[in-house]
């Protein structure tokens, strides 16, 4: 059965244009074509990248975060409570009002304290600032190396400047060693992101990120097997161009370098919108959809390749809407809004509101408008030394 499935999967009608068979793709001493089994190398290379990442974050990124003043915020911890902890672990991390009331009765606690316990418990699970800094440093290092590796590999290739060259001689286009290693580097990196997905910072677009990684891995793998190497290299270098600016924007944001962060964000926005909404549709989508038909008739691989590229483009549109909204807020308010993809589940102001509520409950009031002659402007001027504030919030005349 496995043999029949393998034969069905590798039918040349699926992978190659009409009139071309696998016999036409036989290698010789001087000519090498992509072989599907080459992709298996990406798994051990991905594990190597995971090890390199752990060493990089521990030996370089973490000490660098301390030197640059990145400090983790100290949040109050939730008091141990077996009932609430069991509910948090097995049922829900953000219970509804009815569930809060039920839990409050079980624990013999006020509803507000139960709500506060869940908020603090969720905050405990939130990633630290140093963790986010280390992750951004690793991704910046990779995207920087990958982008300039792509430039070094492609700068002298004709299809980088004339996109019709992507299809000259297709599919019998020999695989050059530099293109093979460039492909292996990119595919291994995205596999490593899949392996570390459960441990990475989870943001609001977590599901979209999973779709993006899956589509990217399928796209790279399929383009390699079907010898869409030339169009695949264009896709990779276009994506790396904007990512080189995204990660340092995050880094400076964690460092609280506001002006530098805002400037880099505007540069990243311009590069992202131009590369993903202008260059990518023309250089890749139009090229694959129209120029390829000048060489061969549509077949299964043609449709499948374009479907994956369209999925990527839909994700580009989704993220572009978020970026445009942030740029719009920046132009109106003069300051960059918090990243809409942020992992922040709830505002840190909740704790401040809770403290203010507790202070008001205990009758502690702070007065700032004290006149130079020690009078308080409250319902008329009264001498400060004739009034005493009690802990219950009442005022006693001396």
């Amino acid at each position: 059965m496995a043999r029949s499935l393998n034969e069905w999967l590798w039918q040349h009608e699926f992978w190659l244009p009409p009139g071309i068979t696998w016999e036409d793709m036989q290698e010789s001493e001087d000519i090498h074509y992509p072989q599907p089994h080459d992709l298996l190398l990406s798994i051990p290379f991905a594990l190597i990248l995971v090890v390199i990442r752990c060493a990089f974050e521990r030996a370089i990124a973490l000490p660098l975060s301390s030197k640059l003043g990145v400090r983790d915020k100290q949040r109050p911890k939730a008091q141990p409570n077996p009932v609430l902890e069991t509910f948090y672990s097995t049922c829900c991390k953000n219970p509804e009002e009815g569930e809060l009331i039920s839990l409050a009765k079980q624990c013999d606690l006020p509803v507000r304290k139960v709500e506060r316990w869940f908020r603090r418990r969720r905050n405990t699970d939130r990633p630290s600032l140093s963790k986010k800094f280390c992750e951004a440093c690793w991704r910046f290092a990779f995207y920087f190396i990958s982008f300039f590796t792509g430039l070094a590999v492609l700068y002298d290739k004709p299809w980088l400047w004339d996109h019709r060259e992507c299809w000259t001689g297709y599919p019998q286009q020999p695989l050059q060693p530099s293109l093979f290693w460039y492909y292996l580097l990119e595919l291994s990196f995205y596999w490593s992101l899949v392996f570390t997905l459960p441990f990475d910072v989870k943001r609001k677009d977590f599901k979209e990120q999973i779709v993006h990684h899956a589509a990217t891995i399928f796209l790279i793998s399929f383009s390699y097997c079907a010898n869409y190497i030339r169009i695949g290299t264009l896709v990779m270098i276009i994506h790396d161009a904007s990512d080189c600016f995204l990660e340092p924007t995050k880094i400076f944001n964690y460092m609280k370098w506001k002006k530098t962060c805002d400037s880099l964000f505007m540069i990243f926005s311009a590069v992202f919108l131009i590369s993903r909404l202008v260059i990518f549709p023309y250089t890749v989508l139009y090229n694959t959809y129209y120029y390829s038909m000048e060489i061969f008739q549509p077949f299964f691989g043609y449709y499948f390749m374009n479907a994956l590229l369209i999925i990527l483009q839909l994700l580009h549109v989704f993220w572009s809407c978020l970026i445009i909204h942030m740029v719009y807020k920046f132009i109106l308010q003069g300051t960059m809004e918090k990243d809409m993809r942020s992992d922040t589940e709830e505002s840190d102001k909740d704790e401040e509101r809770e403290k203010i509520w507790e202070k008001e409950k205990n009758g502690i009031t702070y007065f700032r408008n004290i006149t130079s002659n020690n009078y308080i402007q409250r319902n008329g001027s009264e001498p400060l030394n004739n009034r005493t504030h009690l802990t219950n919030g009442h005022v006693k005349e001396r």
Side-chain angles (χ1 to χ4, degrees), residues 200-249:
D200 288 340
V201 176
K202 291 182 175 60
R203 305 183 186 276
K204 291 182 179 179
D205 62 346
F206 179 72
K207 294 180 180 179
E208 289 79 4
Q209 284 285 352
I210 294 177
V211 175
H212 175 269
H213 296 340
T216 302
I217 290 173
F218 273 114
L219 184 60
I220 294 176
S221 301
F222 178 81
S223 65
Y224 185 86
C225 294
N227 206 11
Y228 281 106
I229 298 293
R230 297 184 179 183
I231 199 70
T233 54
L234 295 180
V235 174
M236 292 187 293
I237 198 170
I238 288 173
H239 279 72
D240 290 342
S242 59
D243 290 334
C244 286
F245 292 97
L246 173 61
E247 301 307 326
T249 301

Side-chain angles (χ1 to χ4, degrees), residues 75-76 143 156 162 204 228 245 294 325 374 382:
R75 299 187 179 93
Y143 289 134
D156 60 344
D162 183 2
K204 291 182 179 179
Y228 281 106
F245 292 97
E294 297 177 358
H325 180 77
N374 291 332
E382 299 183 25

Side-chain angles (χ1 to χ4, degrees), residues 15 17 158-159 162-173 222-223 226-232 234 282-296 299 301-302 305-306 309:
W15 300 88
W159 63 86
D162 183 2
H163 306 319
R164 280 188 167 86
E165 287 294 326
C166 289
W167 311 109
T168 301
Y170 179 84
Q172 296 170 308
Q173 297 172 337
F222 178 81
S223 65
N227 206 11
Y228 281 106
I229 298 293
R230 297 184 179 183
I231 199 70
L234 295 180
Y282 173 72
T283 303
V284 177
L285 292 181
Y286 187 83
N287 187 5
T288 307
Y289 190 79
Y290 288 104
Y291 289 166
S292 61
M293 288 193 294
E294 297 177 358
I295 308 298
F296 54 81
F299 62 107
Y302 166 85
M305 182 74 170
N306 279 282
L309 292 173

Side-chain angles (χ1 to χ4, degrees), residues 20 60 72 96 140 219-220 223 304 309 320:
I20 303 294
I60 299 177
D72 295 333
E96 301 292 338
F140 170 65
L219 184 60
I220 294 176
S223 65
F304 189 69
L309 292 173
S320 295

Side-chain angles (χ1 to χ4, degrees), residues 16-31:
L16 301 174
I20 303 294
T21 64
W22 291 117
E23 285 73 16
D24 299 320
M25 302 293 294
Q26 294 296 323
E27 294 184 327
S28 64
E29 294 183 0
D30 300 327
I31 299 177

Side-chain angles (χ1 to χ4, degrees), residues 215-381:
T216 302
I217 290 173
F218 273 114
L219 184 60
I220 294 176
S221 301
F222 178 81
S223 65
Y224 185 86
C225 294
N227 206 11
Y228 281 106
I229 298 293
R230 297 184 179 183
I231 199 70
T233 54
L234 295 180
V235 174
M236 292 187 293
I237 198 170
I238 288 173
H239 279 72
D240 290 342
S242 59
D243 290 334
C244 286
F245 292 97
L246 173 61
E247 301 307 326
T249 301
K250 296 179 183 178
I251 292 173
F252 284 109
N253 182 41
Y254 302 146
M255 292 168 54
K256 309 299 181 183
W257 290 24
K258 184 173 178 53
K259 292 184 178 180
T260 305
C261 175
D262 290 349
S263 300
L264 279 174
F265 173 74
M266 297 303 293
I267 296 173
F268 158 74
S269 300
V271 174
F272 185 95
L273 295 176
I274 293 173
S275 63
R276 305 293 179 92
L277 299 184
V278 179
I279 297 178
F280 184 85
Y282 173 72
T283 303
V284 177
L285 292 181
Y286 187 83
N287 187 5
T288 307
Y289 190 79
Y290 288 104
Y291 289 166
S292 61
M293 288 193 294
E294 297 177 358
I295 308 298
F296 54 81
Q297 294 298 315
F299 62 107
F300 176 81
Y302 166 85
Y303 294 113
F304 189 69
M305 182 74 170
N306 279 282
L308 292 176
L309 292 173
I310 289 174
I311 291 175
L312 279 184
Q313 184 59 24
L314 291 176
L315 290 171
H316 295 165
V317 173
F318 170 78
W319 284 313
S320 295
C321 291
L322 298 182
I323 292 172
I324 291 172
H325 180 77
M326 295 177 68
V327 171
Y328 176 74
K329 290 289 186 181
F330 177 82
I331 294 175
L332 288 183
Q333 300 176 0
T335 182
M336 189 179 72
E337 189 185 56
K338 183 177 287 187
D339 187 0
M340 297 178 67
R341 299 173 55 244
S342 173
D343 60 286
T344 302
E345 172 179 291
E346 50 202 323
S347 174
D348 292 332
K349 293 183 179 179
D350 290 341
E351 287 293 338
E352 298 176 4
R353 295 193 191 101
E354 190 72 26
K355 292 178 182 178
I356 294 174
W357 183 86
E358 289 291 344
K359 290 179 180 179
E360 291 178 349
K361 180 180 177 181
N362 294 329
I364 302 175
T365 309
Y366 294 92
F367 298 89
R368 295 180 180 178
N369 296 327
I370 301 177
T371 59
S372 58
N373 56 355
N374 291 332
Y375 277 67
I376 302 176
Q377 303 299 324
R378 180 182 178 185
N379 297 327
S381 299

Side-chain angles (χ1 to χ4, degrees), residues 126-191:
R126 286 167 56 186
S128 63
L129 199 61
S130 59
K131 175 180 173 60
K132 293 189 283 188
F133 179 89
C134 292
E135 180 180 312
C137 284
W138 163 250
R139 297 196 181 199
F140 170 65
F142 175 84
Y143 289 134
F144 183 85
I145 293 173
S146 177
F147 176 69
F148 284 98
T149 298
L151 287 180
V153 169
L154 296 177
Y155 82 96
D156 60 344
K157 302 299 187 293
W159 63 86
L160 181 64
W161 315 106
D162 183 2
H163 306 319
R164 280 188 167 86
E165 287 294 326
C166 289
W167 311 109
T168 301
Y170 179 84
Q172 296 170 308
Q173 297 172 337
L175 176 64
Q176 301 177 20
S178 59
L179 298 178
F180 167 76
W181 289 108
Y182 181 43
Y183 247 74
L184 187 63
L185 176 67
E186 291 280 353
L187 183 59
S188 301
F189 175 71
Y190 282 102
W191 271 121

